[in-house]
Amino acid sequence: SGQQVVEQQAGQVWFPDSAFKTAQALNDFNHEGLPLIIFANWRGFAGGLRDMFGEVLKYGAYIVDALRTFKQPVFVYVPYEGELRGGAWVVIDPTINPRMMEMYAAEVTKGGVLEPEGIVDIKFRTPDILKAMERNENFAALSPEEQSAKRKELLPAYKRVAVQFAAMHDTPKVMLEKKTITDIVPWATSRQFFAQRLRRRLAEEAVRQRVAEICPGASTEMADQAVADLETSI
């Protein structure tokens, strides 16, 4: 007799089955010639032993392959209070297909390959925190035992400050400054923005396709110049 098995899966995480379904959906969209908007709110891929045995990395690579060959405009949007982390950022980064992909973020989002706690564990470890204490605190008047107790007391507070400082680098403004996103799009006006942006991108691709039909040997630069000339004349 059959037996039902219920498996709990965390939210905002790609597992082998969900990563495979994502790649399938991307290929279907591409086959149908449809543009794509991805509302990105993932913290990464599941990294358990069972997930590795289930080939989660292979299915993540399928997502990259699907986006690399996508022939319609792709918008990646990190929604309000959403976050994009780890391998999830890697597999939908616009550099995979810079001609078709653009990434945007709402005004209140978080983004980065590592979370603030992970950055602190790598970049600002306990010895570095203790050095910061030495610069900021007056330990000279304390005995060695009191110094040790004081450092132990202050360590959690210093680590919280370090994590908060690292979190300040996960904001949309920093992402825009580092050119990892195209622009900041407020959540309240995102529908209008993407509707207009999509119409423009579809029109641009139609012009490029027309240039390719008229001049089969035309280069990509020539098609881009035709789009630029058309925009100037309007």
Side-chain angles (χ1 to χ4, degrees), residues 6-214:
V6 179
E7 181 179 346
Q8 297 290 335
Q9 292 186 345
Q12 292 182 276
V13 177
W14 263 315
F15 288 85
D17 56 346
S18 56
F20 181 56
K21 290 177 182 177
T22 302
Q24 280 185 317
L26 293 174
N27 287 323
D28 290 342
F29 270 77
N30 195 26
H31 180 72
E32 295 291 338
L34 298 174
L36 179 65
I37 297 180
I38 300 174
F39 289 91
N41 188 21
W42 290 289
R43 297 183 65 187
F45 286 85
L49 183 61
R50 182 175 180 180
D51 303 306
M52 292 299 177
F53 184 76
E55 299 182 304
V56 66
L57 297 180
K58 181 180 77 172
Y59 296 129
Y62 282 1
I63 297 174
V64 176
D65 289 339
L67 289 173
R68 182 179 56 82
T69 58
F70 213 87
K71 292 179 170 54
Q72 291 74 232
V74 179
F75 301 133
V76 180
Y77 183 53
V78 186
Y80 189 84
E81 292 191 351
E83 62 178 325
L84 188 59
R85 303 284 188 186
W89 184 305
V90 174
V91 300
I92 59 174
D93 190 273
T95 55
I96 295 171
N97 189 353
R99 185 167 186 80
M100 291 296 173
M101 295 181 66
E102 300 173 2
M103 181 180 283
Y104 300 90
E107 66 274 26
V108 180
T109 54
K110 299 176 183 177
V113 175
L114 292 176
E115 297 197 20
E117 292 80 2
I119 294 175
V120 171
D121 288 341
I122 295 173
K123 291 285 196 178
F124 201 62
R125 299 180 179 180
T126 301
D128 302 306
I129 295 177
L130 293 176
K131 289 179 182 178
M133 281 187 200
E134 295 292 339
R135 293 194 299 268
N136 297 319
E137 306 294 337
N138 183 14
F139 291 115
L142 302 177
S143 65
E145 293 79 9
E146 291 174 330
Q147 290 182 17
S148 178
K150 189 69 172 178
R151 290 189 183 94
K152 186 176 181 180
E153 177 186 351
L154 292 174
L155 187 60
Y158 269 77
K159 187 160 188 177
R160 284 195 300 271
V161 172
V163 170
Q164 185 63 33
F165 179 77
M168 293 171 62
H169 295 75
D170 287 350
T171 62
K173 289 184 179 180
V174 175
M175 288 188 271
L176 183 61
E177 180 70 23
K178 297 294 183 180
K179 298 181 180 180
T180 56
I181 62 174
T182 306
D183 202 357
I184 299 172
V185 178
W187 177 250
T189 59
S190 58
R191 181 183 297 234
Q192 296 91 327
F193 172 84
F194 285 114
Q196 294 173 1
R197 183 63 184 162
L198 179 58
R199 283 195 292 266
R200 179 189 176 105
R201 289 289 291 113
L202 290 175
E204 290 176 353
E205 291 307 315
V207 171
R208 291 188 175 96
Q209 185 175 359
R210 184 60 177 160
V211 170
E213 292 173 355
I214 297 173

